[in-house]
């Protein structure tokens, strides 16, 4: 079980995360061993496991910590995340994910659609083992509605040079922050945290998720190699304009029109020119600044939590997200 | 609320089915009203509602009939069915369903994939309202695995002229009979039927589902108009060879090779010739006979159930499936 090296600094979390992967593995038993192997390969493809990590840490917030329950909730969230990734890859026609060929590119859309569906049900199966988690299930469908809406918003504003910062934030709030918020919230609920505290956990997760996605979008423009495990600037070719570009275009739209007008036909030289323009107009710097603001908001909420080792870890992990290079 | 005319003969079921649709409607509330309207249109597109009907009838098997619970279970099953239909249409690239344009053809794959995902979660949301239904949830994920495997089997044997009757039966057992079996089983469980009776209900649903799918595949070759609400012989163009064709090819494969070798390029004239060949070699007649055998198996199990109006209705409905023209 190979976990991301970042977890070396969190030995307890590392043990728990290994058990999260173990729980997922145990629940994925398919007669067709090829499908099973594909899913298991994805589990071990080195996802950072941030969502389960935040769920596990938040499971210390309530009075009734139960390790099995916390691990189940964390596992269900990672499986839900995997299901949405697989379906996103179908929709975006992506061929690479975490440095490996996607299921849709390797086996076709049919395989990928049904595998995602299967993982959705595994998510609920894992949750259903703990009847206390019923409120989580009730919650998840409202939640997935918002994730769905975030993805659809993203589709609707494709190739739109006038996409606003506000629209971008609404989009990533659904697409990413929602699942981070649900992770922190569900972890808290799994330990029977009082409602006010669970809502605090929700807000922390929301801020974290916003910061995480903005940094992800900044790295899309700044990373020069394939360290991200996905094709650099894939989003912009697909017409999905993220924060650094949106900021850079403010007041300079005419500079970008000739390049972006080429849509999916942009060459590597075009993409380099685009990156140069974004840097010239401080697009990445401004985006990074906003990510910092969200991180600060998260830290401010974390500081209000009851003292404890988990609070320190939550805080350390939050900083790590802002400073991550991959 | 326009229900299929077949329900005129079952006034109580008709009232319950109207409430099933009502329950589904109430649970589908999306901020984006366009998505909401699309889903609601699908609900009212005149699906026959057989799965919820069998769930509702089977809810009379146990000692603890609860109308709300029975309607929730029936609604969850129809929503699950809708989710799989929408994803099937993405995978099969179908453009028509129930006589109307499919979501994927009208709004693109992204819309359809996420709408299906949303409906999956609504299915679990509806179930989660009744904590007694937890065992249903546990059951559903094993079940959906089998449905998934049926769909993947179908993909794997595409354009395979040597596909066997056995492989066909395994495929429809997963693809269709599984959900009919789950419907009868879940209905029974919702009324706290003893395990032996719930398993009987499962078997009845399985036989029913097998008969239903075979008849569906027979109608694909015999219906001359668009009464089915889907393009006739779409399956064969996609390389999905169903029972009438499989039977007809036994001992006469060479007659079919030149036609089927054209794959998706088959013309209307080719399809007419194919239908003629299938009739000549008694393909539809043999398939119809097997559907009759499954119907008889279902009837034999139904006859063993405790007496009551629901047993008579179950029996009448089962016959209707075999003799249906649409």
């Amino acid at each position: 079980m190979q976990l991301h090296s970042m977890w070396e600094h969190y030995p307890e979390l590392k043990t728990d995360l290994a058990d999260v992967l173990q729980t997922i593995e145990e629940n994925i038993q398919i007669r067709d061993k090829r499908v099973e192997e594909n899913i298991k390969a994805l589990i071990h493809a080195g996802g950072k496991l941030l969502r389960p990590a935040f769920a596990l840490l938040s499971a210390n917030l309530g009075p009734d910590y139960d390790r099995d329950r916390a691990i189940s909730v964390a596992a269900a969230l990672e499986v839900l995340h995997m299901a949405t990734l697989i379906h996103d890859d179908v929709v975006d026609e992506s061929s690479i994910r975490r440095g490996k060929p996607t299921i849709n590119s390797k086996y076709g859309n049919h395989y990928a659609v049904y595998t995602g569906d299967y993982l959705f049900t595994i998510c609920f199966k894992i949750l259903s083992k703990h009847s206390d988690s019923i409120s989580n299930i009730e919650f998840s469908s409202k939640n997935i509605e918002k994730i769905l809406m975030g993805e659809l918003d993203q589709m609707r504003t494709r190739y739109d040079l006038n996409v606003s910062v506000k629209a971008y934030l609404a989009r990533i709030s659904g697409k990413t922050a929602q699942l981070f918020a649900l992770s922190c919230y569900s972890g808290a609920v799994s330990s029977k945290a009082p409602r006010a505290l669970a809502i605090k956990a929700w807000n922390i997760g929301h801020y974290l998720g916003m910061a995480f996605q903005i940094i992800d979008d900044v790295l899309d423009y700044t990373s020069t190699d394939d360290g991200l495990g996905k094709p650099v600037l894939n989003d912009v070719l697909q017409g999905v304009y993220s924060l650094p570009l949106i900021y850079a275009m403010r007041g300079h739209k005419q500079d970008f029109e000739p390049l972006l007008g080429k849509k999916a036909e942009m060459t590597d030289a075009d993409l380099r020119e685009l990156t140069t323009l974004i840097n010239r107009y401080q697009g990445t710097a401004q985006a990074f600044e906003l990510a910092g603001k969200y991180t600060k908001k998260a830290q401010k909420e974390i500081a209000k939590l009851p003292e404890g080792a988990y609070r320190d870890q939550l805080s350390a992990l939050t900083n790590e997200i802002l400073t991550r290079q991959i």
Side-chain angles (χ1 to χ4, degrees), chain A:
Chain A
M1 210 78 72
Q2 194 63 47
L3 292 180
H4 196 282
S5 60
M6 69 184 286
W7 301 116
E8 298 300 332
H9 312 298
Y10 306 85
E12 281 169 47
L13 254 185
K14 194 185 164 194
T15 310
D16 288 352
L17 286 172
D19 284 353
V20 165
L21 292 187
Q22 182 70 33
T23 300
I24 297 174
E25 279 234 9
E26 283 165 9
N27 277 282
I28 290 169
Q29 287 173 348
I30 308 186
R31 246 183 319 159
D32 184 325
K33 290 306 159 195
R34 190 167 68 132
V35 181
E36 186 174 304
E37 285 317 310
N38 279 329
I39 297 179
K40 289 192 173 167
L42 190 67
I43 299 172
H44 296 293
K48 284 182 291 295
L49 301 176
L50 285 172
R51 293 152 195 83
F54 285 118
L56 289 166
L57 288 173
S58 306
N60 294 286
L61 284 172
D64 188 17
Y65 172 78
D66 176 312
R67 187 167 184 272
D68 277 358
R69 207 160 51 203
I71 283 174
S72 287
V73 166
L77 285 157
E78 182 63 14
V79 169
L80 179 59
H81 176 54
M82 284 168 61
T84 61
L85 289 184
I86 292 171
H87 281 177
D88 286 352
D89 286 341
V90 172
V91 167
D92 298 341
E93 297 171 10
S94 304
S95 53
I96 301 283
R97 162 80 64 187
R98 294 177 183 171
K100 297 200 170 144
T102 54
I103 295 187
N104 49 306
S105 72
K106 222 169 147 190
Y107 301 103
N109 279 349
H110 58 284
Y111 234 84
V113 168
Y114 295 129
T115 303
D117 290 352
Y118 175 69
L119 290 177
F120 267 110
T121 65
I122 293 298
C123 164
F124 291 107
K125 178 186 167 192
I126 294 173
L127 280 181
S128 72
K129 275 189 196 142
H130 302 277
S131 58
D132 332 52
S133 335
I134 270 293
S135 61
N136 278 325
I137 297 183
E138 164 70 31
F139 208 83
S140 297
S141 62
K142 283 183 210 152
N143 222 283
I144 293 169
E145 184 203 318
K146 285 190 188 137
I147 295 171
L148 164 79
M149 290 306 125
E151 296 287 355
L152 290 180
D153 277 350
Q154 174 165 318
M155 287 291 157
R156 227 188 324 250
T157 56
R158 279 218 237 190
Y159 298 116
D160 177 1
L161 269 68
N162 296 311
V163 62
S164 66
V165 172
K166 197 179 156 193
Y168 166 83
L169 295 176
R171 181 215 300 167
I172 69 167
S173 167
K175 198 182 82 158
T176 307
Q178 199 69 16
L179 199 50
F180 276 84
L182 182 67
S183 298
C184 293
Y185 175 89
S186 304
V189 168
S190 82
S191 62
K192 304 207 165 75
R195 188 158 167 74
L197 202 52
I199 289 170
K200 247 187 207 116
W202 173 274
N203 290 333
I204 291 170
H206 171 78
Y207 294 139
L208 273 171
M210 296 298 282
F212 177 82
Q213 186 59 54
I214 294 171
I215 298 291
D216 219 48
D217 291 336
V218 167
L219 289 174
D220 210 26
Y221 288 104
T222 57
S223 61
T224 48
D225 59 5
D226 61 352
L228 275 175
K230 61 176 180 177
V232 172
L233 296 184
N234 194 32
D235 274 2
V236 78
L237 287 173
Q238 300 231 16
V240 177
Y241 302 153
S242 66
L243 195 58
L245 176 53
I246 295 169
Y247 271 139
M249 280 198 287
R250 293 213 284 203
H252 310 96
K253 208 169 67 185
Q254 67 292 349
D255 291 21
F256 290 87
E257 272 165 351
L259 281 173
L260 297 178
K262 298 182 187 176
K263 298 191 172 176
E265 308 299 311
M266 287 175 83
T267 63
D268 283 352
D270 292 333
L271 291 171
R272 273 194 299 276
E273 195 184 331
L274 182 76
T275 309
T276 308
L277 278 176
I278 289 173
N279 286 329
R280 182 180 308 154
Y281 297 129
Q282 312 269 338
T284 47
Q286 289 177 76
F288 202 75
E289 197 186 330
L290 188 61
K293 281 186 187 162
Y294 277 110
T295 311
K296 259 186 211 147
K297 282 187 188 187
Q299 292 291 17
K300 205 174 148 191
E301 291 299 313
I302 291 169
K304 290 184 204 159
L305 295 175
E307 261 182 59
Y310 71 90
R311 190 183 76 173
D312 299 341
Q313 288 181 38
L314 202 56
S315 176
L317 208 48
T318 300
N319 274 339
E320 211 152 320
I321 285 183
L322 190 68
T323 56
R324 77 198 169 99
Q325 294 302 316
I326 61 156

